[in-house]
Amino acid sequence: MQKKNFFSPFLFILLTTLSIFTVHASTPDLLPLQHAWAKTNYELEGEAQLEAFSALIAQAKVLVEQSENSAEALTWLAISQSSTASAKGGLGALDFAESAKENLERAIEKEETVLEGTALTVLAALYHKVPGWPVSFGSDKKAEKLFKRALEINPHGMDQNFFYAEYLFDEGEYKEAQAFLTRAQNAPEKANRPLADKKRREEIVALQARLDTKA
């Protein structure tokens, strides 16, 4: 079993799974938020990145209020908070992780299938990456259950398959990890998320290289 490292930006780069067709009219500003997130997550570093994530959290909170707590807006608020936790690192990240968990649970309670299983996938990744009791809420048992449910909702999603493959790799289940990573490799691209797709495929290549060393 691989040792967890929640605070590694590489291991906890989050995701943009929305397509333009899944943005509801009640949350018309979600797509610009997604694009701003991708730029912040993949192109900025250090204090500039933390400041940009803070601005994204503020923007997402406004969208949550304007949309009357829609599941989509809550999910993107949680993604922004989770990404801030990853960028911040250390024990100071745990408050952001806890807030993200609460908002993801709220989103899932409203609509379990929100954004094609995105909320479930992000919550699963949180459970897998954060430390367990008594430091925080991490639980691989809960993570696996959430990953599997997300895959039932979106069996061919790039992100769902990639994150579950990474989870299986960390657990030493290399053969199963390869099966799900292959699904991620074969997942269709989404034209409205070119930067996120490009970076995700780079991560898929990197995980494949790690799996190759276990063959």
Side-chain angles (χ1 to χ4, degrees):
M1 183 182 299
Q2 300 295 310
K3 183 177 180 180
K4 291 183 184 179
N5 185 1
F6 167 65
F7 304 115
S8 165
F10 174 77
L11 289 180
F12 199 67
I13 293 173
L14 287 173
L15 49 148
T16 49
T17 60
L18 270 170
S19 73
I20 190 168
F21 303 106
T22 61
V23 180
H24 292 185
S26 61
T27 52
D29 294 326
L30 277 178
L31 194 58
L33 180 66
Q34 296 170 60
H35 292 161
W37 175 88
K39 181 178 179 63
T40 299
N41 197 59
Y42 293 119
E43 296 183 352
L44 300 181
E45 295 180 352
E47 287 300 317
Q49 185 182 58
L50 284 172
E51 290 177 6
F53 276 138
S54 294
L56 285 175
I57 289 173
Q59 183 180 351
K61 286 180 177 178
V62 171
L63 292 175
V64 168
E65 183 176 354
Q66 290 176 342
S67 67
E68 299 182 346
N69 297 305
S70 74
E72 296 93 338
L74 284 167
T75 299
W76 271 98
L77 172 57
I79 288 173
S80 300
Q81 291 167 328
S82 303
S83 302
T84 303
S86 178
K88 191 174 183 65
L91 293 177
L94 292 178
D95 287 343
F96 289 100
E98 291 276 0
S99 295
K101 172 179 174 290
E102 292 174 5
N103 285 314
L104 289 165
E105 290 171 341
R106 291 169 64 196
I108 292 166
E109 184 177 359
K110 279 180 166 288
E111 184 184 347
E112 185 188 30
T113 61
V114 60
L115 308 181
E116 300 178 334
T118 293
L120 289 164
T121 304
V122 177
L123 185 57
L126 273 173
Y127 270 115
H128 178 49
K129 297 300 182 182
V130 303
W133 188 89
V135 177
S136 193
F137 59 85
S139 167
D140 281 341
K141 183 177 181 180
K142 291 181 179 179
E144 184 166 21
K145 182 179 179 180
L146 289 162
F147 276 130
K148 287 181 175 179
R149 180 59 184 142
L151 283 162
E152 288 175 1
I153 293 168
N154 190 8
H156 304 296
M158 184 190 303
D159 297 308
Q160 284 77 8
N161 281 285
F162 169 76
F163 278 104
Y164 190 46
E166 184 185 61
Y167 164 81
L168 291 168
F169 179 90
D170 289 346
E171 296 300 299
E173 301 290 340
Y174 303 126
K175 184 175 180 179
E176 289 188 55
Q178 182 62 71
F180 286 95
L181 188 62
T182 298
R183 291 187 190 180
Q185 291 166 342
N186 294 331
E189 296 182 359
K190 292 187 177 181
N192 69 311
R193 48 169 275 178
L195 178 58
D197 264 21
K198 177 177 181 291
K199 295 298 183 179
R200 178 68 71 239
R201 292 194 184 279
E202 290 176 2
E203 293 159 13
I204 289 171
V205 169
L207 182 55
Q208 183 64 67
R210 295 164 67 199
L211 269 171
D212 289 344
T213 67
K214 306 297 182 180

